[in-house]
């Protein structure tokens, strides 16, 4: 008697309630403090940029899944996370076509072309950012002053430079830092300096990041080793030649380092899966960031570092496999 | 009391409340009911049928002869008449050869086991297999080719829902210890350790009373699945690591489930063959119970005895929810390894829609065997069995922790389970090449 009314499937017959779309939604939730800070600081510009990124990213994801004749799975929320992170990695008031170009590169070129969710070797939002940075350097570095609502709703934004950018150009032109008090630690921490949309407030990023660690969505190993490496190496350089760089605390808080360490380097798809591998990955990210910031042509090195380490991830995963239970080394 | 723990594992909802307080109830034999006794209820070669059609049999009479080294005897669970020798539905293989007995009215008396001077032979005669679910013939396990210094009793019962071992530990405490003592004396083993999960304080207390009288060590175990996995249990209790691909006796240990110990006691002391066992019937049934059921009773009858289904059943599982088998038919008979019958309605079941692996690494964190299930899953999908062998798929204990924790609902453990046969061929070929 074959009774079709019973479902037959492999064990286990019970599962943890956490699903992929919930994981992604928790990441969005963790990004909420940063989103709120950026809306507070940049007002209408921030809202517009987030809205454009979400519409373009989700739209392009749906369109290309349709073209590949696959089920449209935008409801897994992965494109939503990419959209928010991409917007956060752009200047506060990019033109709409810049957001569209970034979304296209992030979703189509960097994700769908490689096979969609889980198959992309590089973090899509960062590929989008780096592409834009190289293709449209002027538009990607036109910063506006961070000033509570004033700029955002009056449509007369004042352009300015980021702390890291100013330091870099002063060192390039005169060999050492000229202006004093460029990057006040309290300003960097709270987010009242100009910069990319999302990385502004180290505090907001930290709240979100710690929330993810508490919820066990990410592990602490990558952010910790990443930040510690940057702190130690910039600290060493600062002790030797303090006129040529910001102090290590400023380095930790400035630019996209916090956002990168907690939200981009920890991207499941593109980081190693084992603890040992993650420590190595975090160290690599930190080392590259410091090298680019101190000796490279760009003031900020987070995006490049993470992308380069993404490329190494398969190698790390392959060679840093932990011993299987009771494994006898031959 | 030492406790060393093991890496990985998960904490599923235990759901044991419905039956943990219910004493074991004997399910009576129904006159005229059909009992289907499969000839393969154990790992290894199926037993050889001894009964013929229309033959009258007595409960406890040998009807299946152990056929080979790793095989077990099968006894008639009830007195009655053999009505057919036919294929019976089986949860794993689809069908299996078996003997169908129609129960007679008179069920008094059980044919006693042939007690032999050699204790292992008595166990073989009684048809005892590992009752934890793996159903490895016990007499083989009790004939270690090496010196063993520790007998470890597995009272973890880490599978959610199941309470049969818990009840046995409460109601048959001394018998279980006596069974272990018989084994200990026969094999000249110094240490006896009993490991019980901390969520069964009453069972721990029950055994605690006998510690000084019988001289054993009682170890409260962390509440975590798969705490009852043989290699995990040895790591947790003794801090010894069983080398990959080897048996516990390699590190001087034999592990037995508490139910198996009781069966050994029953055989050696009371000459009772293994014709019944305790099973937990729970989930969406009217009256969840711990039942002492004759082997061969159809699942249908057992559920009926528990008042029938509660609501609309969607899935019936034989065994625990982590490692049990989903049944396609309620005609499947109760077997020696059946520890539970779980009924799930649609609303009790998890959403199993699969999506792509997002490499979150949760499977890596929970794997108690230190494997990388997410990478291995790609090899399963692409049928890359060579790579699977290199990534130690044979070390997988199929506990299902990876599948349980996977947010993308990948069928990880199931994939490894089905791939093992192919991988085995490759490993054998490699071995042959090395030797030839």
């Amino acid at each position: 008697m074959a009774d079709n009314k019973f479902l037959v499937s492999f064990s286990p017959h019970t599962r943890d309630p956490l699903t992929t779309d919930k994981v992604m939604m928790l990441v969005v939730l963790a990004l909420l403090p940063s989103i709120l800070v950026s809306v507070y600081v940049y007002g209408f510009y921030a809202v517009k940029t987030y809205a454009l990124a979400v519409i373009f990213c989700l739209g392009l994801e749906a369109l290309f899944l349709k073209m590949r004749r696959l089920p449209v799975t935008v409801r897994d929320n992965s494109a939503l996370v990419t959209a928010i992170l991409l917007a956060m990695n752009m200047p506060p008031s990019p033109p709409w076509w810049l957001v569209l170009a970034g979304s296209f590169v992030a979703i189509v070129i960097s994700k769908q072309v490689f096979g969609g969710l889980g198959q992309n070797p590089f973090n899509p939002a960062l590929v989008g950012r780096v592409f834009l940075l190289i293709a449209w350097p002027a538009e990607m570095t036109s910063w506006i002053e961070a000033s509570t609502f004033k700029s955002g709703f009056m449509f007369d934004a004042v352009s300015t430079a980021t702390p890291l950018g100013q330091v870099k150009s002063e060192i390039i032109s005169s060999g050492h830092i000229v202006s004093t008090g460029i990057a006040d630690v309290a300003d960097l921490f709270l987010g009242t300096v100009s910069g990319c949309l999302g990385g502004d407030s180290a505090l907001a990023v930290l709240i979100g990041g710690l929330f993810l660690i508490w919820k066990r969505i990410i592990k602490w190993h990558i952010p910790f080793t990443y930040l510690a490496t940057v702190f130690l190496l910039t600290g060493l350089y600062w002790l030797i030649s303090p006129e040529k760089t910001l102090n290590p605390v400023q380095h930790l808080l400035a630019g996209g380092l916090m956002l990168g360490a907690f939200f981009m380097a920890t991207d499941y798809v593109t980081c190693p899966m084992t603890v040992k591998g993650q420590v190595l990955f975090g160290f690599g990210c930190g080392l590259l960031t410091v090298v680019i910031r101190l000796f490279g042509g760009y003031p900020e090195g987070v995006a490049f570092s993470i992308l380069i380490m993404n490329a190494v991830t398969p190698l790390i995963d392959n060679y840093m496999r932990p011993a299987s239970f009771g494994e006898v080394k031959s | 009391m030492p406790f060393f723990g093991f890496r990985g594992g998960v904490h599923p909802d235990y759901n044991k409340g419905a039956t943990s307080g219910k004493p074991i109830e004997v399910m009576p034999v129904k006159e005229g009911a059909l009992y289907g006794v499969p000839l393969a209820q154990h790992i290894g070669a199926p037993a050889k049928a001894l009964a013929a059609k229309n033959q009258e049999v007595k409960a406890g009479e040998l009807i299946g002869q152990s056929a080979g080294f790793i095989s077990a005897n099968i006894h008639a669970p009830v007195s009655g008449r053999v009505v057919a020798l036919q294929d019976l539905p089986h949860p794993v293989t689809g069908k299996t050869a078996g003997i169908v007995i129609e129960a007679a009215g008179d069920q008094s008396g059980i044919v006693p086991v042939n007690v032999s001077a050699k204790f292992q032979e008595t166990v073989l005669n009684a048809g005892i297999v590992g009752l934890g679910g793996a159903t490895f013939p016990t007499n083989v396990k009790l004939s270690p080719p090496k010196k063993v210094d520790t007998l470890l009793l597995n009272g973890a019962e880490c599978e959610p829902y199941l309470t049969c071992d818990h009840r046995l530990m409460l109601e048959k405490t001394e018998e279980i210890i006596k069974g272990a003592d018989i084994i200990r004396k026969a094999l000249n083993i110094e240490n006896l350790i009993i490991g019980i999960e901390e969520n069964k304080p009453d069972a721990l207390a029950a055994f605690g009373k006998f510690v000084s009288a019988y001289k054993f060590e009682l170890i409260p175990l962390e509440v975590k699945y798969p705490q009852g996995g043989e290699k995990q249990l040895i790591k947790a209790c003794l801090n010894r690591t069983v080398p990959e691909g080897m048996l516990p006796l390699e590190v001087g240990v034999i592990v037995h489930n508490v139910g198996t110990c009781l069966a050994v006691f029953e055989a050696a002391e009371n000459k009772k063959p293994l014709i019944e066992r305790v099973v937990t019937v729970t989930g969406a049934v009217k009256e969840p119970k711990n039942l002492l059921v004759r082997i061969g009773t159809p699942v249908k009858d057992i559920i009926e005895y528990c008042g029938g289904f509660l609501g609309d059943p969607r899935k019936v599982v034989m065994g625990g929810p982590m490692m049990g088998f989903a049944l396609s038919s309620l005609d499947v008979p109760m077997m020696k390894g059946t520890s539970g019958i779980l009924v799930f309605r649609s609303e009790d079941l998890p959403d199993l829609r699969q999506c792509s692996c997002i490499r979150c690494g949760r499977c890596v964190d929970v794997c108690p065997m230190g494997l990388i299930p997410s990478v291995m899953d790609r090899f399963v999908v692409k049928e890359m069995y060579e790579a699977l062998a290199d990534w130690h798929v044979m070390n997988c204990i199929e506990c299902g922790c990876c599948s349980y924790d996977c947010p993308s609902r990948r069928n990880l453990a199931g994939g490894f389970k089905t791939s093992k046969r192919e991988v085995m061929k490759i490993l054998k070929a490699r071995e042959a090449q090395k030797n030839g």
Side-chain angles (χ1 to χ4, degrees):
Chain A
M1 183 192 83
D3 200 340
N4 295 327
K5 121 181 162 168
F6 294 119
L7 179 70
V8 176
S9 65
F10 273 112
S11 59
H13 306 286
T14 173
R15 302 290 173 106
D16 189 90
L18 191 73
T19 52
T20 297
D21 53 323
K22 282 185 201 153
V23 171
M24 298 294 171
M25 221 48 216
L26 282 168
V27 177
V28 172
L29 206 61
L31 285 167
L32 213 56
S34 299
I35 295 175
L36 292 176
V37 168
S38 57
V39 170
Y40 177 72
V41 173
Y42 297 111
F44 170 74
Y45 290 128
V47 177
K48 186 179 115 186
T49 307
Y50 285 127
L52 284 178
V54 169
I55 292 167
F56 289 146
C57 281
L58 264 57
L60 286 169
E61 170 121 323
L63 186 69
F64 275 82
L65 283 170
K66 265 235 147 75
M67 281 175 63
R68 291 175 63 204
R69 300 211 172 90
L70 290 173
V72 177
T73 51
V74 282
R75 279 175 65 192
D76 63 27
N77 297 327
S78 62
L80 182 64
V81 171
T82 300
I84 295 172
L85 286 174
L86 178 68
M88 286 186 164
N89 272 284
M90 297 184 107
S93 62
W96 67 268
W97 53 266
L98 198 66
V99 183
L100 177 60
S103 304
F104 181 81
V105 172
I107 294 293
V108 180
I109 304 298
S110 152
K111 186 177 169 189
Q112 291 302 334
V113 161
F114 285 97
L117 179 65
Q119 312 287 319
N120 47 301
F122 299 101
N123 183 314
L126 284 181
V127 174
R129 171 188 162 83
V130 165
F131 169 77
L132 296 178
L133 199 61
I134 296 168
W136 288 285
E139 283 80 358
M140 279 299 281
T141 51
S142 74
W143 314 108
I144 56 172
E145 197 174 275
S147 49
T148 325
F149 281 112
K150 210 166 59 203
S151 54
F153 287 108
M154 314 275 287
F155 300 94
D156 55 350
V158 184
S159 27
T160 179
T162 65
L164 283 175
Q166 195 176 342
V167 168
K168 182 108 261 169
S169 56
E170 283 178 11
I171 290 171
I172 288 171
S173 60
S174 58
H176 58 88
I177 298 172
V178 181
S179 12
T180 48
I182 302 173
D184 183 58
V185 169
D187 283 344
L188 286 171
F189 191 63
L190 293 174
T192 47
V193 292
S194 70
C196 279
L197 192 54
D200 246 7
S201 166
L203 175 68
V205 175
L206 205 58
I207 291 173
L210 293 178
F211 170 76
L212 286 187
I213 291 173
W214 174 59
K215 281 276 171 197
R216 291 168 188 241
I217 300 297
I218 61 172
K219 280 178 284 191
W220 57 269
H221 303 84
I222 289 180
F224 178 79
T225 43
Y226 193 168
L227 296 175
T229 306
V230 170
F231 185 82
L232 291 176
L233 293 180
T234 54
L236 207 66
Y237 190 74
W238 179 71
L239 283 176
I240 298 165
S241 42
E243 77 288 350
K244 283 195 177 162
T245 187
L246 296 168
N247 72 43
V249 179
Q250 289 168 320
H251 265 295
L252 274 194
L253 300 177
L257 180 59
M258 282 284 177
L259 189 70
F262 281 102
F263 289 94
M264 322 283 269
T266 55
D267 170 21
Y268 287 153
V269 181
T270 56
C271 79
M273 283 179 299
T274 60
V275 166
K276 249 183 4 185
Q278 290 183 349
V279 169
L280 186 69
F281 181 87
F283 171 74
C285 287
L287 182 70
L288 289 168
T289 302
V290 173
V291 168
I292 295 171
R293 278 194 183 180
L294 298 183
F295 312 112
Y298 283 91
E300 167 70 311
V302 173
F304 291 107
S305 315
I306 297 175
L307 285 178
I308 291 168
M309 289 311 290
N310 284 168
V312 189
T313 291
L315 278 181
I316 297 179
D317 265 342
N318 207 25
Y319 288 107
M320 306 217 51
R321 192 183 64 72
S324 169
F325 189 97
E327 182 174 340
V328 188
K329 293 262 182 258
S330 51
Chain B
M1 278 173 268
F3 176 80
F4 303 99
F6 64 94
R7 194 196 149 279
V10 294
H11 295 94
D13 285 340
Y14 265 45
N15 291 314
K16 295 183 188 246
T19 50
S20 62
K22 292 196 176 158
I24 297 166
E25 193 180 322
V26 180
M27 181 172 161
V29 176
K30 206 163 73 184
E31 189 179 348
L34 296 177
Y35 289 77
V37 190
L39 287 163
Q41 303 181 45
H42 48 265
I43 289 187
K48 203 171 97 235
L50 294 181
K53 203 176 162 185
N54 289 326
Q55 184 186 329
E56 295 287 334
V57 290
K58 281 281 281 173
E61 195 178 320
L62 193 67
I63 54 169
Q65 177 81 51
S66 164
F69 179 54
I70 300 183
S71 184
N73 283 332
I74 308 276
H75 302 84
V78 294
S79 301
R81 192 172 56 93
V82 174
V83 289
L85 289 150
Q86 64 171 56
D87 282 345
L88 297 167
H90 189 277
V92 185
T93 57
K95 52 169 104 144
T96 175
I99 298 170
V100 183
I101 301 169
E102 190 188 275
D106 175 32
Q107 290 295 334
S108 58
I110 293 174
V111 179
V113 177
N114 247 335
V115 176
S116 160
K118 225 176 139 219
F119 146 80
Q120 284 89 346
E121 248 163 61
T122 312
V123 172
L124 169 70
N125 291 343
I128 299 172
V129 299
L131 298 182
T135 63
F136 191 81
T138 302
N139 60 301
V140 181
K141 221 173 174 180
L142 288 176
S143 318
K146 272 176 110 156
K147 168 77 183 142
V148 169
D149 62 44
T150 308
L151 171 64
L152 185 51
L153 283 206
N154 183 359
E157 195 159 54
C158 55
E159 273 269 12
Y161 290 95
L162 302 187
T163 55
C164 51
D165 285 355
H166 185 186
R167 289 314 304 180
L168 278 182
M169 289 192 282
L170 287 180
E171 296 173 31
K172 304 273 180 188
T173 321
E174 197 165 5
E175 289 90 332
I176 291 170
I177 302 171
K178 278 184 178 159
D181 224 38
I182 293 170
I183 299 173
R184 176 152 74 159
K185 287 198 178 115
L187 297 182
N188 197 15
I189 298 173
E190 299 103 75
N191 311 318
L192 171 62
I193 299 177
I194 303 180
I196 300 172
E197 270 191 311
E198 273 169 339
N199 60 353
K200 304 168 189 76
D202 45 357
L204 280 164
F207 277 97
K209 284 183 205 146
F210 295 99
V211 167
S212 53
Y214 288 92
K215 303 221 171 24
F216 60 89
E217 197 174 359
L218 186 61
I219 297 184
L221 303 166
E222 188 188 353
V223 180
K224 156 163 120 170
Y225 176 88
Q227 190 63 262
E230 210 167 51
K231 293 184 175 185
Q232 279 65 39
L233 195 69
I234 295 170
K235 176 73 183 57
C237 294
L238 288 151
N239 205 22
R240 296 183 192 171
T241 303
V242 181
E244 184 174 0
M246 306 226 183
L247 295 170
L249 65 94
E250 204 63 37
V251 292
V253 186
I254 302 189
V255 183
H256 279 294
N257 171 270
V258 286
T260 314
C261 266
L262 181 65
V264 168
F265 171 80
E266 296 274 16
E269 290 292 311
N270 303 339
K271 302 182 182 176
K272 208 180 129 196
L274 185 66
I275 58 166
E276 57 189 356
R277 72 155 290 155
V278 182
V279 60
T280 301
V281 191
T282 186
V285 289
K286 289 229 172 70
E287 298 160 52
K289 281 174 200 261
N290 294 300
L291 281 178
L292 185 66
V293 179
R294 299 285 171 116
I295 306 293
T297 314
V299 167
K300 181 168 71 207
D301 294 3
I302 298 173
I303 289 171
E304 208 171 283
Y305 186 75
C306 291
F309 292 118
L310 189 70
D312 206 10
R314 180 82 184 96
K315 194 187 226 180
V316 180
V317 171
M318 196 173 230
M322 295 299 287
M323 288 186 79
F325 302 97
L327 300 184
S328 59
S329 153
L330 295 180
D331 290 334
V332 173
M334 174 79 194
M335 281 175 276
K336 288 178 183 176
T338 306
S339 46
I341 292 166
L342 314 176
V343 181
F344 296 104
R345 294 162 297 189
S346 299
E347 59 264 40
D348 307 325
L349 291 171
D351 180 1
L352 287 181
R353 262 176 310 176
Q354 262 193 37
C355 69
S356 305
C357 168
I358 53 170
R359 292 176 35 94
C360 64
R362 289 166 71 90
C363 53
V364 181
D365 295 339
V366 299
C367 178
M369 298 308 283
L371 305 178
I372 315 283
S374 50
V375 171
M376 289 156 62
D377 184 43
R378 293 196 176 189
F379 298 148
V380 171
V381 173
K382 292 178 184 158
E383 300 184 5
M384 292 164 66
Y385 297 116
E386 290 275 346
L388 265 176
D390 295 336
W391 284 67
H392 302 264
V393 73
M394 295 311 288
N395 209 5
C396 169
I397 57 169
E398 302 169 17
C399 64
C401 287
C402 50
S403 306
Y404 173 84
D405 232 28
C406 179
S408 292
R409 300 285 185 254
R410 309 287 308 164
N411 180 23
L412 300 165
F416 306 146
K417 200 182 282 191
T418 47
S419 302
K420 275 184 173 178
R421 202 182 306 161
E422 292 299 319
V423 175
M424 202 66 194
K425 278 186 207 157
I426 289 169
L427 291 177
K428 277 198 179 134
R430 278 186 196 172
E431 196 69 23
Q433 204 170 29
K434 214 162 57 180
N435 297 338

